[in-house]
Short mmCIF file of all heavy atoms in Angstrom, two decimals:
data_model
loop_
_atom_site.label_atom_id
_atom_site.label_comp_id
_atom_site.label_asym_id
_atom_site.label_seq_id
_atom_site.Cartn_x
_atom_site.Cartn_y
_atom_site.Cartn_z
N ARG A 265 222.12 189.76 103.21
CA ARG A 265 222.33 189.88 104.66
C ARG A 265 221.03 189.71 105.45
O ARG A 265 220.69 190.52 106.30
CB ARG A 265 223.01 191.21 105.00
CG ARG A 265 224.44 191.30 104.50
CD ARG A 265 225.11 192.58 104.95
NE ARG A 265 224.39 193.74 104.41
CZ ARG A 265 224.53 194.17 103.16
NH1 ARG A 265 225.35 193.54 102.33
NH2 ARG A 265 223.87 195.22 102.74
N GLY A 266 220.31 188.65 105.12
CA GLY A 266 219.10 188.32 105.86
C GLY A 266 217.82 188.87 105.27
O GLY A 266 216.73 188.46 105.68
N ALA A 267 217.91 189.77 104.32
CA ALA A 267 216.73 190.34 103.68
C ALA A 267 216.56 189.72 102.30
O ALA A 267 217.50 189.70 101.50
CB ALA A 267 216.85 191.85 103.58
N ILE A 268 215.39 189.19 102.01
CA ILE A 268 215.10 188.61 100.70
C ILE A 268 214.60 189.73 99.79
O ILE A 268 213.57 190.35 100.06
CB ILE A 268 214.05 187.50 100.80
CG1 ILE A 268 214.50 186.43 101.80
CG2 ILE A 268 213.79 186.89 99.43
CD1 ILE A 268 215.81 185.77 101.44
N ILE A 269 215.33 189.98 98.70
CA ILE A 269 214.95 191.06 97.79
C ILE A 269 214.84 190.52 96.37
O ILE A 269 215.56 189.60 95.98
CB ILE A 269 215.96 192.23 97.83
CG1 ILE A 269 217.34 191.78 97.30
CG2 ILE A 269 216.07 192.80 99.23
CD1 ILE A 269 218.30 192.93 97.10
N PRO A 270 213.92 191.08 95.58
CA PRO A 270 213.81 190.67 94.18
C PRO A 270 214.94 191.29 93.36
O PRO A 270 215.42 192.38 93.66
CB PRO A 270 212.45 191.22 93.75
CG PRO A 270 212.25 192.41 94.63
CD PRO A 270 212.89 192.06 95.95
N ILE A 271 215.35 190.60 92.30
CA ILE A 271 216.39 191.09 91.40
C ILE A 271 215.76 191.35 90.03
O ILE A 271 215.23 190.44 89.40
CB ILE A 271 217.55 190.09 91.27
CG1 ILE A 271 218.14 189.76 92.65
CG2 ILE A 271 218.62 190.65 90.34
CD1 ILE A 271 218.72 190.96 93.38
N ILE A 272 215.80 192.59 89.61
CA ILE A 272 215.21 193.02 88.34
C ILE A 272 216.32 193.20 87.31
O ILE A 272 217.32 193.88 87.58
CB ILE A 272 214.44 194.35 88.50
CG1 ILE A 272 213.40 194.25 89.61
CG2 ILE A 272 213.81 194.77 87.18
CD1 ILE A 272 212.31 193.27 89.35
N ASN A 273 216.17 192.60 86.15
CA ASN A 273 217.12 192.80 85.07
C ASN A 273 216.68 194.01 84.26
O ASN A 273 215.68 193.95 83.54
CB ASN A 273 217.18 191.55 84.19
CG ASN A 273 218.29 191.62 83.16
OD1 ASN A 273 218.36 192.55 82.38
ND2 ASN A 273 219.16 190.61 83.15
N LEU A 274 217.41 195.13 84.37
CA LEU A 274 216.99 196.35 83.70
C LEU A 274 217.05 196.24 82.18
O LEU A 274 216.30 196.92 81.48
CB LEU A 274 217.83 197.54 84.19
CG LEU A 274 217.47 198.13 85.55
CD1 LEU A 274 218.20 199.44 85.78
CD2 LEU A 274 215.96 198.32 85.72
N ARG A 275 217.96 195.41 81.66
CA ARG A 275 217.99 195.21 80.21
C ARG A 275 216.64 194.70 79.73
O ARG A 275 216.05 195.23 78.78
CB ARG A 275 219.08 194.21 79.82
CG ARG A 275 220.50 194.73 79.88
CD ARG A 275 221.46 193.67 79.34
NE ARG A 275 221.23 193.43 77.92
CZ ARG A 275 221.92 194.04 76.95
NH1 ARG A 275 222.87 194.91 77.24
NH2 ARG A 275 221.67 193.78 75.68
N ARG A 276 216.14 193.66 80.37
CA ARG A 276 214.87 193.07 79.95
C ARG A 276 213.71 194.01 80.25
O ARG A 276 212.74 194.09 79.47
CB ARG A 276 214.67 191.73 80.66
CG ARG A 276 215.67 190.68 80.21
CD ARG A 276 215.42 189.35 80.88
NE ARG A 276 216.32 188.32 80.37
CZ ARG A 276 216.34 187.07 80.81
NH1 ARG A 276 215.50 186.70 81.77
NH2 ARG A 276 217.19 186.19 80.30
N LEU A 277 213.78 194.75 81.35
CA LEU A 277 212.72 195.68 81.69
C LEU A 277 212.60 196.77 80.63
O LEU A 277 211.50 197.26 80.35
CB LEU A 277 212.98 196.30 83.06
CG LEU A 277 211.84 197.14 83.65
CD1 LEU A 277 210.61 196.29 83.89
CD2 LEU A 277 212.28 197.82 84.93
N LEU A 278 213.74 197.15 80.03
CA LEU A 278 213.74 198.17 78.99
C LEU A 278 213.51 197.59 77.59
O LEU A 278 213.62 198.30 76.60
CB LEU A 278 215.07 198.94 79.02
CG LEU A 278 215.36 199.73 80.30
CD1 LEU A 278 216.72 200.40 80.22
CD2 LEU A 278 214.26 200.75 80.56
N GLY A 279 213.22 196.30 77.54
CA GLY A 279 212.90 195.69 76.26
C GLY A 279 214.11 195.32 75.43
O GLY A 279 213.98 195.10 74.22
N LEU A 280 215.29 195.21 76.05
CA LEU A 280 216.51 194.86 75.33
C LEU A 280 216.78 193.36 75.45
O LEU A 280 216.29 192.69 76.37
CB LEU A 280 217.70 195.65 75.88
CG LEU A 280 217.57 197.17 75.79
CD1 LEU A 280 218.70 197.84 76.55
CD2 LEU A 280 217.58 197.61 74.32
N SER A 281 217.58 192.83 74.54
CA SER A 281 217.89 191.40 74.56
C SER A 281 218.77 191.07 75.75
O SER A 281 219.57 191.90 76.21
CB SER A 281 218.60 191.01 73.26
OG SER A 281 219.80 191.75 73.10
N PRO A 282 218.66 189.85 76.29
CA PRO A 282 219.46 189.45 77.45
C PRO A 282 220.95 189.46 77.12
O PRO A 282 221.36 189.34 75.97
CB PRO A 282 218.97 188.04 77.75
CG PRO A 282 217.64 187.93 77.06
CD PRO A 282 217.72 188.80 75.86
N LYS A 283 221.76 189.59 78.15
CA LYS A 283 223.21 189.55 78.01
C LYS A 283 223.77 188.73 79.16
O LYS A 283 223.38 188.90 80.32
CB LYS A 283 223.78 190.98 78.05
CG LYS A 283 225.30 191.07 78.03
CD LYS A 283 225.73 192.54 78.04
CE LYS A 283 227.24 192.69 78.09
NZ LYS A 283 227.80 192.27 79.39
N ARG A 284 224.68 187.83 78.82
CA ARG A 284 225.27 186.99 79.86
C ARG A 284 226.08 187.84 80.83
O ARG A 284 226.82 188.74 80.42
CB ARG A 284 226.17 185.93 79.23
CG ARG A 284 226.76 184.94 80.25
CD ARG A 284 227.67 183.96 79.54
NE ARG A 284 226.94 183.15 78.59
CZ ARG A 284 226.30 182.03 78.92
NH1 ARG A 284 226.32 181.59 80.16
NH2 ARG A 284 225.68 181.33 77.98
N ALA A 285 225.94 187.57 82.11
CA ALA A 285 226.68 188.32 83.12
C ALA A 285 228.19 188.10 82.95
O ALA A 285 228.64 187.01 82.60
CB ALA A 285 226.25 187.90 84.52
N ASP A 286 228.95 189.18 83.17
CA ASP A 286 230.41 189.08 83.08
C ASP A 286 231.04 189.81 84.25
O ASP A 286 230.35 190.15 85.22
CB ASP A 286 230.90 189.63 81.74
CG ASP A 286 230.45 191.06 81.48
OD1 ASP A 286 230.24 191.81 82.45
OD2 ASP A 286 230.33 191.45 80.30
N ALA A 287 232.33 190.08 84.17
CA ALA A 287 233.06 190.69 85.28
C ALA A 287 232.59 192.10 85.57
O ALA A 287 232.79 192.61 86.68
CB ALA A 287 234.56 190.68 84.99
N ASP A 288 231.97 192.76 84.60
CA ASP A 288 231.51 194.13 84.80
C ASP A 288 230.09 194.23 85.33
O ASP A 288 229.66 195.30 85.78
CB ASP A 288 231.59 194.91 83.48
CG ASP A 288 233.02 195.12 83.01
OD1 ASP A 288 233.91 195.28 83.88
OD2 ASP A 288 233.25 195.11 81.78
N THR A 289 229.34 193.14 85.27
CA THR A 289 227.94 193.16 85.69
C THR A 289 227.83 193.50 87.17
O THR A 289 228.55 192.97 88.00
CB THR A 289 227.28 191.80 85.42
OG1 THR A 289 227.41 191.48 84.03
CG2 THR A 289 225.81 191.83 85.80
N ARG A 290 226.91 194.40 87.48
CA ARG A 290 226.68 194.80 88.87
C ARG A 290 225.19 194.83 89.16
O ARG A 290 224.37 194.96 88.25
CB ARG A 290 227.27 196.18 89.17
CG ARG A 290 228.79 196.26 89.08
CD ARG A 290 229.46 195.48 90.20
NE ARG A 290 230.91 195.63 90.18
CZ ARG A 290 231.74 194.91 89.44
NH1 ARG A 290 231.25 193.97 88.64
NH2 ARG A 290 233.05 195.10 89.49
N THR A 291 224.84 194.73 90.44
CA THR A 291 223.47 194.88 90.88
C THR A 291 223.39 196.09 91.79
O THR A 291 224.08 196.16 92.81
CB THR A 291 222.97 193.63 91.62
OG1 THR A 291 222.99 192.50 90.71
CG2 THR A 291 221.55 193.83 92.12
N ILE A 292 222.58 197.06 91.39
CA ILE A 292 222.38 198.27 92.18
C ILE A 292 221.17 198.05 93.08
O ILE A 292 220.06 197.83 92.60
CB ILE A 292 222.15 199.49 91.27
CG1 ILE A 292 223.31 199.66 90.29
CG2 ILE A 292 221.97 200.75 92.10
CD1 ILE A 292 223.11 200.79 89.29
N VAL A 293 221.40 198.08 94.38
CA VAL A 293 220.31 197.88 95.34
C VAL A 293 219.68 199.24 95.62
O VAL A 293 220.36 200.16 96.10
CB VAL A 293 220.83 197.23 96.64
CG1 VAL A 293 219.67 197.02 97.62
CG2 VAL A 293 221.51 195.90 96.33
N VAL A 294 218.41 199.37 95.27
CA VAL A 294 217.73 200.65 95.39
C VAL A 294 216.57 200.57 96.38
O VAL A 294 216.01 199.49 96.62
CB VAL A 294 217.20 201.13 94.02
CG1 VAL A 294 218.34 201.34 93.05
CG2 VAL A 294 216.20 200.14 93.43
N ASN A 295 216.24 201.71 96.94
CA ASN A 295 215.09 201.83 97.82
C ASN A 295 214.02 202.64 97.10
O ASN A 295 214.24 203.79 96.73
CB ASN A 295 215.49 202.54 99.12
CG ASN A 295 216.51 201.73 99.91
OD1 ASN A 295 216.32 200.55 100.14
ND2 ASN A 295 217.58 202.37 100.33
N VAL A 296 212.88 202.01 96.89
CA VAL A 296 211.75 202.65 96.23
C VAL A 296 210.58 202.62 97.20
O VAL A 296 209.96 201.58 97.41
CB VAL A 296 211.38 201.93 94.92
CG1 VAL A 296 210.21 202.63 94.24
CG2 VAL A 296 212.58 201.88 93.98
N GLY A 297 210.30 203.76 97.81
CA GLY A 297 209.30 203.79 98.86
C GLY A 297 209.75 202.92 100.02
O GLY A 297 210.86 203.06 100.53
#
């Protein structure tokens, strides 16, 4: 909605193998500072 935000894959951030997105995949938009 007009704001450019980065998208972080938490699986990869936690050192886990990638997983193809499916119907259950969601993106949680968080405010950090």
Side-chain angles (χ1 to χ4, degrees):
R265 292 185 299 281
I268 305 300
I269 65 170
I271 304 299
I272 306 296
N273 188 305
L274 282 191
R275 285 186 66 95
R276 293 182 176 178
L277 189 63
L278 297 178
L280 300 171
S281 59
K283 175 179 177 291
R284 184 182 296 275
D286 55 28
D288 293 326
T289 303
R290 294 292 184 275
T291 298
I292 304 176
V293 181
V294 298
N295 296 310
V296 180

